Amino acid sequence: MEDMWGKIGETAGRVYHLLEEGEKSLSNIERSLRKEGYNTNIVKMAIGWLAREDKIFVLKDGNKWIIKLK
């Protein structure tokens, strides 16, 4: 069994760097990272990690979730 905390932390770092380019929708983040081999469930956990650390805003815009850095 792989180290889940390590994988979530690594993915959180990747999400953070992706958001440095500007705000993104959740589906855009998932699509971008899926192309790099990241699991979408881990991506969601990583976003939760960043939200818990108060590093990001998570906003609902109609049917879309928008994620951006604080």
Side-chain angles (χ1 to χ4, degrees):
M1 185 167 184
E2 67 181 293
D3 172 29
M4 290 304 294
W5 287 116
K7 190 66 175 167
I8 295 167
E10 171 194 329
T11 307
R14 185 64 189 100
V15 169
Y16 189 92
H17 290 298
L18 193 61
L19 291 172
E20 288 179 320
E21 301 169 4
E23 71 179 38
K24 308 245 185 277
S25 69
L26 175 60
S27 59
N28 184 283
I29 293 169
E30 289 176 329
R31 190 173 27 259
S32 295
L33 295 183
R34 190 171 42 243
K35 289 177 185 175
E36 296 178 22
Y38 289 90
N39 176 294
T40 56
N41 289 325
I42 301 295
V43 170
K44 289 176 185 154
M45 289 181 221
I47 290 169
W49 176 314
L50 291 170
R52 179 69 175 102
E53 288 188 342
D54 202 30
K55 305 268 187 210
I56 60 173
F57 290 109
V58 180
L59 310 164
K60 181 87 165 143
D61 182 19
N63 292 329
K64 294 185 346 180
W65 289 97
I66 303 298
I67 319 295
K68 63 182 181 176
L69 294 179
K70 285 196 169 184

